[in-house]
Amino acid sequence: MTMHATAGARAGDGPSPGGPTIFERSRPGRRAWSLPDAGLAAPGIEELIPAEHRRAEPPALPEVSELELVRHYTRLSQENWAIDVGAYPLGSCSMKYNPKVAEDVAALPGFAGLHPLADDDLVQGALEVLGVLGEALCELTGMARLTFQPAAGAQGELTGLLIMRAYHLARGDVRKRVIVPDSAHGTNPASVTLAGWKAQEVPSDTRGLVDLSALEELLDDDVAGLMLTNPNTLGLFERDIKRIAAAVHEAGGLLYYDGANFNSIVGKVRPGDMGFDVVHMNLHKTFATPHGGGGPGSGPLAVTEELERYLPAPVLAWSEPAGRWRWDNDRPHSIGRIHSWHGNFGIDVRAYVYLRSLGPEGLKRVAERAVLNANYLKTLIEGAFPTAYPGTCMHEFVSTAKGLKPHGVRAMDVAKRLIDHGFHPPTVYFPLVVEEALMVEPTETESRETLDELAAAFNAVAAEAATDPAALHRAPTSTPVRRPDEAKAARHLKLRWTPDDSSNT
Ligand SMILES: *Cc1c(COP(=O)(O)O)cnc(C)c1O
């Protein structure tokens, strides 16, 4: 085999980066399959596709053997990190284990092969999954009804805000602002802007919680509502939530619950009982469905009875006399569709299996262990990485790496060095209110032994910062790619491969 000289080629000749890419391995005429000649004349492409729809040149697809193809994908999979490989304490993302039983059920042909246009009568089983899951999620959040259309949390946010807008407009009330805490996830102000409102920040106080008096000063009859996640992104429970809710409602606003941190309270406390009016859930976080390169999301959006009429149409309904589920399209007040079909159904099936396999008691243990694991890990590493705010945390905590600054070491260096210890890094530099933030969420599915190993890795990295800071700056040394430009891929999108790229690694 002729090796193409590529910069940084390494032993094992993996696919990019380092070894030859699948395009460089391509040889004209090489095939991954072959069929015996059936002795029949096959129609030419000219007969099958009209000229105006045919390419002038064949596509530049790689031509490789089946073995090369299998190795390509297997090696790519090995260059990725996944929850099935090791711990993934990525704060705010709830990267917990995704039980395989849910994968098996979602892959059943009766689910995986469904057509979204199939007649309601032919898919009663699938509708039952959505119906029962919807009722369970409403029960868990304390809401009246929901939609499965949003494909992720951020789309749930936009849907919820459009519902809030429809509610205010129906009352002839044109409001201009939505308040978000300074610790909020970036999707919150982004969704507010997309919904046509102005996002206004309310500061956190010395406890890391919403500053109640600052909030009261911001509230007036121009405020459409407040978006809040509870516990907040600092991993702290907003203890004043009842007073916050009363103040927002008093001003005629609505309370939006960002359910990304639901994992810490699921089965224990309900957003509806705290006073929230609109709630999204990230099934791909709390309800253990794969995400982060592992699959799509699902961000069902649940509302109170008062807001139900504005939900995206169609809404799933149980019709009593017929004893069957049906899609209700007769929704004159609906904000309209926000997804082409009924959302990411396969993700909903996984969440259904997760819920049914745990049951109410199992769900409570999810929240309890998520909180216990986070506090255990926090205690083991807070000598080197103190938390920004004191006290018990919920399912995650935010530490600061600012103590390592005198050694010229930053949070990013700590994150990169943890990779060499065999762990996915925590979230870094978020929330913005914490200097050199390391946001750690171990989740309930990691064992005590893994938490001990993770803590040992954190502490070893802190010790190394004092003795050999250069090692942290070089990290990671165990990965095929070391430190890519964090922003370049997003700012300079390049989605097309051209033959000239083969010299570029
Ligand atoms: C993940 C997250 C979101 C966005 O959810 P997606 O499902 O990624 O769109 C919003 N808020 C918080 C606090 C989050 O952690």
Side-chain angles (χ1 to χ4, degrees):
M1 184 187 68
T2 319
M3 276 282 303
H4 287 246
T6 41
R10 65 201 165 91
D13 305 337
S16 62
T21 65
I22 193 166
F23 293 97
E24 292 166 310
R25 288 182 182 278
S26 176
R27 292 295 175 275
R30 203 168 274 174
R31 288 289 176 269
W33 50 268
S34 59
L35 292 174
D37 186 354
L40 298 171
I45 194 90
E46 298 78 11
E47 285 172 57
L48 296 171
I49 302 177
E52 70 265 30
H53 296 311
R54 282 201 306 268
R55 305 167 171 270
E57 297 286 330
L61 296 176
E63 298 177 72
V64 293
S65 70
E66 181 173 322
L67 176 57
E68 284 169 318
L69 189 61
V70 168
R71 283 184 180 157
H72 171 72
Y73 284 109
T74 304
R75 284 167 167 169
L76 278 184
S77 77
Q78 289 170 344
E79 292 191 352
N80 244 324
W81 193 256
I83 193 67
D84 288 0
V85 176
Y88 208 137
L90 190 65
S92 214
C93 297
S94 302
M95 302 302 288
K96 57 170 84 175
Y97 174 64
N98 312 131
K100 298 302 170 239
V101 62
E103 296 300 313
D104 287 348
V105 175
L108 291 175
F111 290 132
L114 277 189
H115 194 284
L117 277 180
D119 191 84
D120 291 359
D121 283 331
L122 298 176
V123 294
Q124 283 295 306
L127 297 186
E128 170 92 1
V129 166
L130 289 182
V132 172
L133 176 62
E135 282 167 4
L137 296 177
C138 283
E139 172 68 27
L140 287 169
T141 51
M143 293 289 116
R145 212 158 181 198
L146 60 66
T147 174
F148 282 107
Q149 284 186 32
Q155 200 183 8
E157 291 173 23
L158 178 62
T159 308
L161 289 160
L162 292 177
I163 288 174
M164 287 162 64
R165 165 171 283 268
Y167 161 85
H168 286 302
L169 287 179
R171 294 153 54 100
D173 202 352
V174 183
R175 297 189 171 224
K176 298 204 176 72
R177 294 176 286 134
V178 172
I179 300 174
V180 293
D182 57 3
S183 60
H185 194 271
T187 52
N188 291 184
S191 300
V192 170
T193 308
L194 271 180
W197 275 317
K198 192 172 148 26
Q200 186 173 39
E201 219 172 76
V202 59
S204 307
D205 61 18
T206 52
R207 303 169 302 167
L209 306 179
V210 169
D211 184 327
L212 202 58
S213 52
L215 175 67
E216 278 163 357
E217 265 173 44
L218 294 178
L219 288 170
D220 57 29
D221 58 11
D222 242 5
V223 171
L226 168 72
M227 290 184 92
L228 205 61
T229 177
N230 195 16
N232 65 25
T233 62
L234 293 161
L236 303 172
F237 194 83
E238 296 281 356
R239 293 160 192 276
D240 301 326
I241 186 59
K242 286 278 195 187
R243 288 172 65 192
I244 292 172
V248 172
H249 287 149
E250 176 78 10
L254 294 170
L255 213 59
Y256 183 99
Y257 184 79
D258 174 342
N261 295 330
F262 197 41
N263 202 47
S264 57
I265 60 165
V266 61
K268 308 283 287 185
V269 193
R270 310 192 313 165
D273 297 337
M274 297 181 210
F276 286 93
D277 305 289
V278 185
V279 175
H280 87 245
M281 284 146 280
N282 309 59
L283 297 189
H284 44 290
K285 294 180 180 174
T286 308
F287 296 92
T289 63
H291 67 298
S298 177
L301 192 275
V303 297
T304 57
E305 214 174 319
E306 193 176 12
L307 298 175
E308 193 211 300
R309 62 211 314 238
Y310 306 112
L311 282 171
V315 173
L316 189 61
W318 174 256
S319 51
E320 194 51 72
R324 61 192 275 283
W325 296 97
R326 63 182 180 85
W327 290 111
D328 178 8
N329 273 296
D330 185 17
R331 310 280 300 175
H333 302 285
S334 167
I335 59 162
R337 267 191 181 281
I338 51 104
H339 191 283
S340 49
W341 302 110
H342 309 302
N344 286 328
F345 176 68
I347 297 297
D348 304 333
V349 174
R350 290 169 172 88
Y352 171 87
V353 175
Y354 182 71
L355 261 176
R356 295 302 293 249
S357 59
L358 281 169
E361 288 310 310
L363 266 187
K364 279 185 196 150
R365 278 204 302 279
V366 164
E368 287 163 3
R369 290 202 186 169
V371 173
L372 183 63
N373 274 5
N375 279 285
Y376 180 69
L377 184 60
K378 173 170 97 75
T379 306
L380 291 180
I381 69 169
E382 66 193 348
F385 300 101
T387 50
Y389 297 92
T392 312
C393 66
M394 295 293 287
H395 65 307
E396 65 191 353
F397 59 93
V398 182
S399 291
T400 173
K402 71 177 176 193
L404 304 183
K405 268 187 157 175
H407 307 299
V409 166
R410 303 199 52 198
M412 185 62 85
D413 303 316
V414 173
K416 297 295 185 190
R417 193 58 168 152
L418 281 170
I419 297 173
D420 290 333
H421 284 269
F423 292 102
H424 193 285
T427 296
V428 289
Y429 302 113
F430 173 73
L432 306 177
V433 291
V434 175
E435 188 186 348
E436 296 299 318
L438 293 167
M439 185 189 209
V440 190
E441 180 183 5
T443 83
E444 72 281 3
T445 58
E446 297 303 339
S447 67
R448 180 172 174 179
E449 292 72 30
T450 302
L451 296 179
D452 288 336
E453 288 162 17
L454 182 54
F458 266 103
N459 290 324
V461 171
E464 195 177 38
T467 56
D468 187 7
L472 270 73
H473 296 141
R474 275 195 305 273
T477 54
S478 56
T479 52
V481 180
R482 293 190 46 227
R483 292 206 189 190
D485 183 327
E486 304 283 332
K488 189 170 179 184
R491 297 211 176 119
H492 304 279
L493 266 191
K494 186 172 173 212
L495 300 174
R496 202 174 276 264
W497 181 88
T498 59
D500 300 341
D501 292 346
S502 56
S503 56
N504 260 325
T505 45

Coordinates of all heavy atoms in Angstrom, one line a residue, residues 30 287 438 467:
R30 N -12.7 0.6 -7.0 CA -12.7 -0.2 -5.8 C -14.1 -0.2 -5.3 O -14.7 0.9 -5.2 CB -11.7 0.2 -4.8 CG -11.3 -0.9 -3.9 CD -10.1 -0.5 -3.1 NE -8.8 -0.8 -3.8 CZ -7.6 -0.5 -3.3 NH1 -7.5 0.2 -2.2 NH2 -6.5 -0.9 -4.0
F287 N -34.3 12.7 30.9 CA -34.9 11.4 30.6 C -34.0 10.4 29.8 O -34.5 9.6 29.0 CB -36.3 11.6 30.0 CG -37.2 12.2 31.0 CD1 -37.3 13.6 31.1 CD2 -37.9 11.5 32.0 CE1 -38.2 14.2 32.0 CE2 -38.7 12.1 33.0 CZ -38.8 13.5 33.0
L438 N -15.6 26.3 36.2 CA -15.6 24.8 35.8 C -17.0 24.3 36.3 O -17.2 24.3 37.5 CB -14.5 24.1 36.5 CG -13.1 24.4 36.1 CD1 -12.1 23.8 37.1 CD2 -12.8 23.8 34.7
T467 N 3.6 22.4 39.8 CA 5.0 21.8 39.6 C 5.4 21.8 38.1 O 6.6 22.0 37.8 CB 5.0 20.3 40.0 OG1 3.9 19.6 39.3 CG2 4.8 20.2 41.5

